[in-house]
Amino acid sequence: MRPIFFPARRRGDRAWERLFKLAARGESGKVIRLVGKLDADDRKAVAELLPAHLAASGPEGDWSTWQEHLRSMLLAGVACLGGAAAVATWLFRRDFRWMRGDEELILELLRERPAEWKADLARRLARRMRLPELRYWEVAAALVRETGIEPPDDDAFMVGWVRGLGSPPAATDPLFAAFAPRLFEIDGLGEAIDGQVGTIARLVEDGLLERKAVIDGLVGRLLRDGPAAPAALAILHDRLDLDIDESAERAGDYARLLPAGPVPVADLALAQLRRLEEAGRLEEELFAEAVQALAFRPEKKLLRAAVSWAGDAVLREAGRVDAVLGALSLIFAQDTLALQERAVRLAVRLARQAGEPGREAVRQAAAGLPDELREKVSAAYGGGIEAEQVTLVPLPPVGDGPAMPAPIASPGQLVREAAAPDVGPYTFELLLAGLVEWARRAPGALREALRPWRDPLDPGFFGLYGGRLYDGPAQAVRRALLAFASPEESRRLSETAAREALPLRAFDRLCLRRAHELARSFQDGDDCPVLLATPTAGTGHIAPEVLLDRLESLEAAGAQALPVDLAQALLRLPRDIPEVCVRRAEGLFSEAGRTCADWMRGGGLPDPKVKVFVAEHRVPHVGSTPVLKTVLDAPGDLPEPIRELYRLETGHGYMLEGWPLAMPSHREVVAAHMVWNVWADMDSTYLPTQALVSLAYADGPIGEGMAHVLACGMGHANATNRAAATDALLTLAARGQVPVAALGESLTKLVTRGVVKLNRVVSVLDDATQAGAHETVWEVIARLLPGLLPKEGDRPRAGVADLLAAGARAARIAGVRAELPDVAALADRKGSSRLVQEARRLRHLVAVP
């Protein structure tokens, strides 16, 4: 780490040299003492040098020493920078984003500043805070308390106050006086309330928080947040232990919480309403509203509670029969046999007391019940209730996949889109193509549009931080643009990158190397009139005739093809090449043209074989955990960089969404690379299965790789990911390409080994059934049942009853008739568990007449 010096020695340099030596040795305590002794001129000189030094330096030697060096730089900036704005900007620099625990030292350095300056800094820090980290909250709060200013009302700052509620004591805290009346109005309350339920309850007990205001605020917040209401508020409600009068005052609010509140909130609302009803203090209109709202809930627990409450309530007041029957008719539509049976039993018991509205609601809803239950209701309600006709929902047609977006229309658009924080796979392709086109069509206009990037030039904007390269599509494209605008600056910037900070997977490297080789061509002054690999279809494919046009343009210009660009272009050719295109390719004379002709004549790459295994990985002090391992056979003689794509690696892919576009005619190769990623991220919020939708539109045979990727997507913890897996399944079903046997085998293996949770898979299968893929769903479930149904004496695994129910739904719509020995054996068992009941229902549905 070499310090930055002024070109000519001047006052303040000696202070900087002393400070740097202490910082380089990691002696942050001595740094603090040194800056405390500096005069105004020395501090100004140090403040001028700090930013340049930090931008140019990077980790060297021992990591802990480097951390102490950063801590020294952080504290030196706090002490020496002049304005409050400068100090706030310094504290929130990216270089210090992992620094924690220096709040007291920072405050010690700030306390010598004027009160007005400290108040300004407190407000600036509050504005910069972001959830969930809340960096420097303690510093800002201490400055607010010491200066006596009005506390900032920034949401993140108020969340920090909630997290620390009770320290210092509420009675003496100016933040408490300012924020307590607005406690339940804070937008980020859910981020902070979990650990403060007990504290808030004690503050109410001690009279520091008004009880009525807290109850009103709490219930109002539950209504406002609806499905997003924090569960901790339900716990706080229970801790407050409302008396019957307090509950009765809010009965209408509790009824409005039932339709949309999360389960803990709906539970508390139901408990309060049932309590009021049992005490005779619930209006009949609210009772009817509440049971109807519960009947619409999807959660089985709440539906069971609705039936139980309805049965008890109608015994206390016979006039509620029609309201209860209206709710029961809604529960008839719940496709859970045990719930339907409970609702039918109660409806049959109430038949003699039913008025016309209740009878009509029951008769209409009973048509959708299973035959045995429908006949019971029909007998109790006058007979003649016929089974409803099954509505067949056709699979929606699918086209050829998404279309490519429009090309970049101007140099200004090119620069604006390249400056965006994230660059998706389609935008990446358009930016590279746009750079080549506008560098040729309007080089002066493009250089002018790029001038703000160079004046001044920020290495971080191009992916360089502390001597390391954090590479991604956006950064790689920006460096290519810089290479066009200023080859010398681009070359110097590249030379400062000691190494890449993130390991990249093969498809990621293929993507970025195209930008890298384009940048090198600009640096070397080579002409690149056209890129070969820009897709012509949203699947990533290139029309063969378009690729031939581009190769002919290169030959006419006397230019050489960029090697990685050529390899990517060949990988994007469709599987079937018209003979006229093959003959046209054979007329090309360049090396790239001959390579393309050989590729087209030979039919591209042979189809691979992929095998996926579930292995056991030993974790110290934890035990064994299942791990997916993939084997991909590679053809013998492959050119670089295509050979790399047949070497499977583990590790996260950072551009997964673009992988299918790189090899759209051999999706099984892409799937083999994706298996590890989708498996490793199954319990995260990352969305790797978005790539599944693109993969479903790609071409080529499907085997174990695609089946395992789809299976892991179906078992993902994140609902958005499961929705992407559903979309992929529907696309494959509409194209007649679902690998039913391989998918059934993969799911069975992954469920039995504990890799995938069955209930998540069932939710995807159910969604696919509702969207029209009932025949495909049934074929998959029929292959799952033999391996997942419990044998005699075995404990059934979680979700098997749901799988049987999903099979019944798909079979009923598809009109399936089949012999299912494993299901029949389960249905013949004694007992009335849900598992046995669902087996009996499925056997009855598919029984051969």
Side-chain angles (χ1 to χ4, degrees):
M1 294 174 290
R2 290 177 295 179
I4 302 297
F5 295 105
F6 289 109
R9 194 169 185 82
R10 68 178 200 182
R11 178 186 171 93
D13 285 1
R14 189 173 301 280
W16 167 249
E17 291 175 23
R18 291 167 58 200
L19 186 148
F20 178 82
K21 289 177 182 177
L22 295 173
R25 294 196 297 265
E27 299 183 28
S28 52
K30 292 182 179 179
V31 168
I32 294 172
R33 290 193 288 275
L34 171 63
V35 295
K37 298 175 182 177
L38 298 180
D39 61 24
D41 289 336
D42 283 342
R43 291 193 179 199
K44 182 178 179 181
V46 169
E48 289 176 356
L49 288 166
L50 278 171
H53 167 71
L54 203 57
S57 62
E60 293 182 15
D62 180 70
W63 179 252
S64 61
T65 302
W66 170 246
Q67 288 293 90
E68 284 301 311
H69 176 80
L70 282 182
R71 176 168 286 106
S72 300
M73 295 296 102
L74 171 72
L75 297 172
V78 170
C80 297
L81 290 166
V87 171
T89 301
W90 182 254
L91 286 170
F92 279 93
R93 276 185 70 114
R94 179 184 175 88
D95 309 80
F96 304 132
R97 61 193 181 280
W98 308 119
M99 306 295 289
R100 298 290 187 275
D102 294 316
E103 288 77 12
E104 285 302 320
L105 292 175
I106 292 170
L107 282 168
E108 181 181 335
L109 292 170
L110 293 175
R111 284 195 170 107
E112 63 184 64
R113 305 275 192 155
E116 187 175 341
W117 187 98
K118 290 188 288 186
D120 185 20
L121 178 62
R123 297 186 189 99
R124 292 178 183 275
L125 294 178
R127 283 198 295 272
R128 282 178 170 265
M129 283 175 203
R130 296 294 181 268
L131 293 168
E133 293 89 357
L134 300 182
R135 290 172 64 190
Y136 304 116
W137 185 86
E138 293 83 357
V139 174
L143 294 177
V144 169
R145 288 171 176 136
E146 291 174 13
T147 58
I149 62 170
E150 182 178 348
D153 60 358
D154 303 88
D155 191 61
F157 184 78
M158 291 193 285
V159 168
W161 166 75
V162 177
R163 287 183 182 177
L165 197 57
S167 178
T172 60
D173 185 11
L175 298 185
F176 183 88
F179 295 150
R182 304 165 58 186
L183 173 61
F184 296 99
E185 300 171 13
I186 299 172
D187 283 343
L189 185 63
E191 297 277 350
I193 192 89
D194 277 349
Q196 296 295 5
V197 168
T199 301
I200 295 171
R202 285 193 299 274
L203 290 169
V204 172
E205 292 168 8
D206 295 343
L208 292 170
L209 286 173
E210 184 189 355
R211 179 178 175 84
K212 183 178 185 305
V214 168
I215 296 172
D216 286 340
L218 187 159
V219 174
R221 183 58 183 261
L222 292 175
L223 286 168
R224 168 188 153 188
D225 285 353
L233 290 181
I235 299 171
L236 176 58
H237 186 281
D238 289 342
R239 286 287 301 270
L240 294 175
D241 193 21
L242 277 65
D243 62 34
I244 193 72
D245 292 324
E246 290 173 323
S247 296
E249 186 180 344
R250 297 163 180 85
D253 292 333
Y254 293 131
R256 287 191 288 276
L257 286 173
L258 286 176
V263 171
V265 174
D267 277 341
L268 87 82
L270 174 58
Q272 294 298 322
L273 291 168
R274 189 161 187 171
R275 170 194 187 193
L276 291 170
E277 186 272 324
E278 290 171 356
R281 298 191 61 175
L282 183 65
E283 297 175 3
E284 293 303 313
E285 185 178 343
L286 281 180
F287 169 78
E289 179 185 336
V291 292
Q292 293 273 341
L294 282 171
F296 275 110
R297 296 288 305 220
E299 298 88 359
K300 297 178 181 65
K301 171 186 176 182
L302 292 175
L303 291 167
R304 288 193 297 269
V307 175
S308 173
W309 182 28
D312 293 343
V314 80
L315 292 176
R316 287 187 284 270
E317 176 53 63
R320 297 169 174 159
V321 168
D322 284 347
V324 166
L325 290 174
L328 294 177
S329 69
L330 297 172
I331 294 175
F332 286 178
Q334 293 287 336
D335 202 4
T336 302
L337 193 58
L339 272 171
Q340 290 175 328
E341 287 183 336
R342 292 182 67 174
V344 164
R345 282 197 299 270
L346 181 54
V348 169
R349 179 159 61 86
L350 298 176
R352 292 186 179 182
Q353 302 165 261
E356 190 55 34
R359 295 180 69 83
E360 186 59 26
V362 168
R363 286 182 61 84
Q364 288 185 8
L369 287 169
D371 290 347
E372 183 181 355
L373 298 180
R374 176 177 53 80
E375 290 164 5
K376 289 181 179 180
V377 175
S378 183
Y381 282 81
I385 301 178
E386 300 292 334
E388 70 178 5
Q389 295 297 312
V390 176
T391 302
L392 291 177
V393 178
L395 266 171
V398 295
D400 298 326
M404 277 294 291
I408 301 293
S410 67
Q413 181 191 357
L414 176 64
V415 173
R416 285 193 304 274
E417 297 206 17
D422 296 310
V423 169
Y426 294 109
T427 305
F428 177 80
E429 295 292 343
L430 297 178
L431 288 173
L432 288 186
L435 167 55
V436 170
E437 179 180 0
W438 291 106
R440 177 175 52 84
R441 287 178 57 185
L446 182 54
R447 286 192 179 90
E448 180 60 26
L450 288 168
R451 188 169 53 81
W453 286 15
R454 303 169 52 207
D455 187 18
L457 192 142
D458 176 13
F461 183 67
F462 299 95
L464 272 75
Y465 298 96
R468 292 191 179 191
L469 177 63
Y470 292 81
D471 211 0
Q475 292 78 12
V477 168
R478 290 171 194 164
R479 290 198 303 279
L481 281 160
L482 179 64
F484 159 76
S486 177
E488 286 301 318
E489 284 182 305
S490 172
R491 192 175 292 108
R492 284 197 299 271
L493 192 68
S494 300
E495 290 169 355
T496 62
R499 54 178 171 164
E500 291 186 354
L502 300 173
L504 299 173
R505 297 282 296 276
F507 280 103
D508 295 346
R509 292 194 296 271
L510 177 66
C511 168
L512 298 182
R513 282 172 181 168
R514 291 180 55 221
H516 298 167
E517 69 177 5
L518 182 58
R520 284 194 298 273
S521 73
F522 283 126
Q523 290 174 0
D524 297 341
D526 295 334
D527 183 33
C528 180
V530 64
L531 284 184
L532 300 176
T534 307
T536 58
T539 57
H541 283 104
I542 295 176
E545 58 273 16
V546 173
L547 177 56
L548 294 172
D549 290 343
R550 294 169 180 172
L551 284 166
E552 289 170 355
S553 296
L554 280 180
E555 291 185 349
Q560 297 293 318
L562 299 175
V564 184
D565 187 43
L566 174 61
Q568 175 63 95
L570 297 177
L571 289 172
R572 283 177 167 162
L573 283 170
R575 295 175 66 83
D576 298 319
I577 306 294
E579 183 61 29
V580 65
C581 290
V582 177
R583 290 196 300 270
R584 184 178 164 193
E586 289 172 343
L588 297 170
F589 58 84
S590 63
E591 183 179 349
R594 292 194 299 272
T595 301
C596 179
D598 291 342
W599 184 280
M600 288 183 171
R601 191 185 312 110
L605 294 172
D607 292 322
K609 293 181 180 178
V610 176
K611 297 293 292 181
V612 183
F613 304 92
V614 181
E616 291 295 326
H617 175 62
R618 294 287 301 175
V619 180
H621 313 298
V622 175
S624 294
T625 182
V627 177
L628 293 193
K629 294 188 176 292
T630 309
V631 177
L632 170 64
D633 68 332
D637 186 22
L638 289 174
E640 289 287 353
I642 296 175
R643 186 182 297 118
E644 275 195 60
L645 302 179
Y646 285 84
R647 300 183 190 126
L648 295 181
E649 306 157 319
T650 57
H652 289 280
Y654 297 97
M655 294 162 256
L656 209 66
E657 192 176 346
W659 289 10
L661 277 62
M663 214 167 175
S665 293
H666 290 280
R667 55 185 160 190
E668 187 71 355
V669 177
V670 181
H673 283 265
M674 283 176 58
V675 166
W676 190 91
N677 269 86
V678 183
W679 161 75
D681 288 312
M682 273 201 303
D683 291 319
S684 74
T685 56
Y686 176 55
L687 304 179
T689 50
Q690 294 300 324
L692 261 178
V693 180
S694 297
L695 207 56
Y697 277 108
D699 206 353
I702 296 176
E704 286 191 29
M706 184 69 170
H708 277 79
V709 170
L710 188 56
C712 289
M714 295 168 72
H716 203 282
N718 183 279
T720 305
N721 266 354
R722 292 199 300 276
T726 305
D727 288 344
L729 182 61
L730 291 172
T731 299
L732 292 171
R735 301 177 74 187
Q737 296 177 346
V738 176
V740 172
L743 181 58
E745 184 179 341
S746 298
L747 285 169
T748 301
K749 177 169 57 179
L750 297 180
V751 170
T752 55
R753 297 294 295 272
V755 177
V756 163
K757 293 184 178 179
L758 183 56
N759 62 328
R760 296 172 182 170
V761 172
V762 170
S763 72
V764 172
L765 293 172
D766 265 335
D767 289 344
T769 294
Q770 295 299 317
H774 39 271
E775 293 180 353
T776 298
V777 169
W778 169 252
E779 291 178 23
V780 173
I781 291 178
R783 285 166 171 79
L784 287 176
L785 290 173
L788 297 182
L789 290 180
K791 307 302 180 185
E792 190 69 43
D794 290 347
R795 182 173 180 176
R797 69 182 69 253
V800 175
D802 293 326
L803 181 66
L804 286 164
R809 286 187 282 274
R812 182 167 181 258
I813 298 172
V816 170
R817 292 291 179 265
E819 296 286 351
L820 301 173
D822 298 282
V823 175
L826 182 58
D828 287 336
R829 293 185 190 179
K830 296 180 180 179
S832 59
S833 67
R834 183 181 172 228
L835 180 66
V836 172
Q837 287 179 320
E838 294 292 357
R840 291 168 183 165
R841 173 163 66 148
L842 180 56
R843 179 178 64 175
H844 176 75
L845 269 172
V846 303
V848 178

